[in-house]
Amino acid sequence: MQYQLSFNRIFPILLSLIIILWIYLNYKLMIADVWDETNFLLYFYSTPQTLFEKIKFIWTSSDLGNIYRPLPISLAILIIEPINNYELAWKVLRWTNVLLLLASLLFLLAALHKWGIKNYQKLIFSIFFLYSSAAIISASWFANMFDVSTVFFISLGIFLISLQQYIIAALVLSLSFFCKEISVLLIPFLFILVLNTKLDFRQFTRMCLIIVTIAGIYWYLRLSYIPLGSEQDIHGFSTIQLLPTLQAYFESFWWQTMKRDGMSLLGFIWLLVSLLALKGFINKAALIVLMMLSAIMYLGMFSYQNDVLMSHLNFVGRLYLVPMVLSLLMLIMWGRTSLFVILLMPVLWGAQQTYTNHRNFQIVYHQIYDLAQNSSDKLTIHYPEKPLNDHIRKIEIGDYPQACFSIGMKTLKYKQCK
């Protein structure tokens, strides 16, 4: 009892240190805007539209990256509207992701406190939440604002449920659908709360009526602008990809990175540990269902990276963010902590890989921006995977095999030009 009281006194200090270190690590990753960050800023600073016209375009069009996730994009535009500094804008948006993730964590910790979770368990939950590959890449690449916003609204909604503010919670949870399609996971998660007596079935039914109604509005708009599985849709949803996606997703769930040659038995062992840690057959089955739904939503988006650094797989950790948070809540509330802690090994290992890779990835683009700044002519670079026409920095990236510079597997390469 005395030990518990002593730990409770130092809990705020330990939590503050964990958060401060995480903020510092994200500060060190503020190196260069890359890929979709750059494209978003180019759109914003090049479009001769008023703020109202930009917001209207976002809510009534599918032309922005073949996605319909209007709420976080609108928020991003509102945030950088008064910022005329290109270099400052991407940093402000990344810090917005950092703050939204921290707010999400605090909402969830408050909910766990209301539900009687002990402080040492909340500390473990915080480490899992912040020091995961999913959180690292989501905070340090503002194009992940979709996943981050989804987690924010789900976390706030769960906090309101713990306060028994069910109607407000339903309205807040509904907003997550306008952030990303993966929000479909929240309804089965609410049912899991019912099965574990954290939510009354009658309140669950009332909440679902609100959520399904608002989610239905979202899906109507989404399908009106982007038909599911069409050429416009960023997701192919091909059933041929189901088994490979399930295998890769289940194996990599706790690593949250694809920086390997292929599937390993160890990845499935970590998944088994998480199932063994959960108490009760229903919770074990619920976790599997939750993960299968996630994999179906992410059909065809997982492949192994091998030694390739300069790839879209640099950002793959974001796909695990929402399902990871919901899984962590299940494990901390209804799991055996002694087994649960074992999963810190793959989580921290994956986070370290993602941190290092994302740092090196950005360094390559920082070198490109430095070259462009010191050049009087347009800088042309061979890299077909991610074309870029940056008229602000005067950089052209694409299929240019005769260019003096090219982006290789890991570095920026230079060849002698005639």
Side-chain angles (χ1 to χ4, degrees):
M1 185 60 132
Q2 185 176 357
Y3 170 79
Q4 186 175 346
L5 289 172
S6 300
F7 185 83
N8 288 343
R9 290 193 188 99
I10 65 171
F11 168 72
I13 299 173
L14 293 175
L15 179 62
S16 298
L17 291 175
I18 288 170
I19 290 173
I20 290 169
L21 176 59
W22 186 74
I23 291 172
Y24 174 74
L25 290 173
N26 278 287
Y27 164 73
K28 297 295 287 184
L29 279 179
M30 299 285 176
I31 299 170
D33 56 290
V34 293
W35 283 39
D36 294 346
E37 291 179 320
T38 309
N39 287 328
F40 175 80
L41 292 174
L42 286 171
Y43 159 77
F44 179 82
Y45 286 112
S46 304
T47 306
Q49 294 177 319
T50 65
L51 177 62
F52 175 78
E53 288 171 334
K54 289 176 183 175
I55 298 295
K56 181 183 177 182
F57 173 77
I58 288 165
W59 284 82
T60 59
S61 173
S62 64
D63 293 337
L64 197 61
N66 288 349
I67 55 174
Y68 188 73
R69 299 165 187 172
L71 194 53
I73 301 177
S74 299
L75 174 64
I77 284 181
L78 289 171
I79 288 172
I80 64 170
E81 173 65 20
I83 301 175
N84 295 319
N85 186 311
Y86 190 97
E87 184 69 18
L88 179 61
W90 65 265
K91 292 180 181 178
V92 169
L93 288 174
R94 283 195 188 181
W95 283 116
T96 300
N97 275 9
V98 170
L99 292 175
L100 286 174
L101 281 173
L102 285 176
S104 301
L105 174 63
L106 295 177
F107 283 134
L108 292 175
L109 290 177
L112 292 173
H113 178 74
K114 292 289 291 184
W115 285 330
I117 301 302
K118 295 175 181 176
N119 281 341
Y120 80 90
Q121 292 174 299
K122 287 185 282 185
L123 205 64
I124 293 170
F125 177 85
S126 302
I127 296 172
F128 270 98
F129 184 103
L130 294 177
Y131 293 88
S132 63
S133 178
I136 291 293
I137 195 63
S138 295
S140 57
W141 193 52
F142 79 70
N144 289 331
M145 57 187 157
F146 312 116
D147 304 87
V148 172
S149 301
T150 303
V151 165
F152 173 79
F153 285 117
I154 290 177
S155 301
L156 177 55
I158 290 172
F159 170 63
L160 290 167
I161 290 172
S162 73
L163 297 179
Q164 300 182 353
Q165 300 293 321
Y166 301 113
I167 302 302
I168 302 174
L171 292 171
V172 168
L173 289 170
S174 300
L175 294 176
S176 66
F177 282 89
F178 290 87
C179 298
K180 195 173 181 182
E181 297 87 339
I182 196 65
S183 298
V184 297
L185 296 182
L186 75 87
I187 292 180
F189 181 77
L190 291 178
F191 188 66
I192 294 170
L193 292 180
V194 173
L195 295 175
N196 288 277
T197 68
K198 297 298 182 186
L199 179 62
D200 180 78
F201 184 76
R202 189 162 67 173
Q203 296 296 346
F204 167 75
T205 304
R206 290 175 178 173
M207 290 180 66
C208 281
L209 286 173
I210 296 171
I211 293 170
V212 169
T213 299
I214 298 176
I217 294 171
Y218 164 77
W219 280 102
Y220 172 78
L221 292 171
R222 200 262 194 205
L223 296 176
S224 297
Y225 298 118
I226 309 175
L228 197 65
S230 66
E231 290 185 1
Q232 289 177 281
D233 198 346
I234 195 171
H235 297 293
F237 291 109
S238 171
T239 54
I240 299 174
Q241 301 168 328
L242 180 59
L243 183 59
T245 300
L246 286 173
Q247 290 174 334
Y249 182 68
F250 277 34
E251 185 271 340
S252 62
F253 188 78
W254 292 109
W255 307 115
Q256 297 167 16
T257 173
M258 306 301 292
K259 188 74 174 178
R260 294 182 299 288
D261 295 332
M263 286 184 290
S264 70
L265 178 62
L266 191 55
F268 292 105
I269 290 175
W270 299 130
L271 179 61
L272 179 61
V273 169
S274 61
L275 291 173
L276 292 174
L278 273 173
K279 299 173 184 176
F281 173 79
I282 290 177
N283 284 328
K284 290 177 177 28
L287 180 61
I288 293 174
V289 169
L290 208 65
M291 291 181 64
M292 288 191 70
L293 285 173
S294 306
I296 291 170
M297 293 299 295
Y298 290 141
L299 277 181
M301 299 187 73
F302 298 95
S303 57
Y304 290 92
Q305 196 170 352
N306 299 314
D307 292 327
V308 180
L309 170 66
M310 305 306 296
S311 162
H312 69 279
L313 292 169
N314 179 67
F315 313 104
V316 76
R318 74 193 190 279
L319 302 179
Y320 304 87
L321 185 66
V322 176
M324 177 202 73
V325 169
L326 298 180
S327 301
L328 289 179
L329 284 170
M330 291 182 64
L331 284 160
I332 207 67
M333 288 194 289
W334 310 302
R336 299 173 180 87
T337 306
S338 55
L339 272 176
F340 177 46
V341 171
I342 294 174
L343 295 174
L344 271 176
M345 288 190 286
V347 168
L348 294 178
W349 181 84
Q352 182 273 329
Q353 270 202 326
T354 294
Y355 188 94
T356 303
N357 288 343
H358 192 45
R359 178 181 178 276
N360 294 337
F361 189 102
Q362 291 183 85
I363 286 173
V364 170
Y365 276 88
H366 191 270
Q367 292 171 340
I368 292 170
Y369 301 154
D370 278 348
L371 283 170
Q373 190 175 12
N374 296 319
S375 174
S376 56
D377 300 321
K378 177 181 281 190
L379 181 64
T380 303
I381 296 173
H382 177 62
Y383 185 55
E385 181 172 349
K386 189 66 174 179
L388 172 68
N389 180 13
D390 188 341
H391 60 274
I392 295 177
R393 292 187 176 110
K394 297 182 180 179
I395 299 171
E396 189 79 33
I397 298 177
D399 190 10
Y400 304 111
Q402 303 305 316
C404 298
F405 294 94
S406 65
I407 297 177
M409 291 173 56
K410 297 183 179 181
T411 59
L412 179 66
K413 296 182 177 181
Y414 173 75
K415 69 177 181 181
Q416 190 69 38
C417 295
K418 295 180 181 179

